Amino acid sequence: MISYKETKELSNNDLKKLYLSVQWFAYTDDMSTLKQAISNSLAVVSAWDNEIFIF
């Protein structure tokens, strides 16, 4: 079952897979900056299939 979460807590691995899947390579060069950008976002909504992140 697909569920949606409003959380900024995404693993580095999940974020990297997401950004690489849309070929945003420049953002994955510095994961700490990317994580900080996500943390500073007003809202982050992600889709999950049980406990697996869907990107």
Side-chain angles (χ1 to χ4, degrees), residues 33-52:
T33 300
L34 179 55
K35 288 284 283 192
Q36 184 175 0
I38 296 297
S39 294
N40 291 331
S41 296
L42 292 176
V44 176
V45 178
S46 53
W48 297 81
D49 185 0
N50 292 316
E51 292 301 315
I52 300 171

Side-chain angles (χ1 to χ4, degrees), residues 4 6 12 24-25 37 41-43 48:
Y4 300 93
E6 189 171 346
N12 283 0
W24 291 347
F25 303 112
S41 296
L42 292 176
W48 297 81

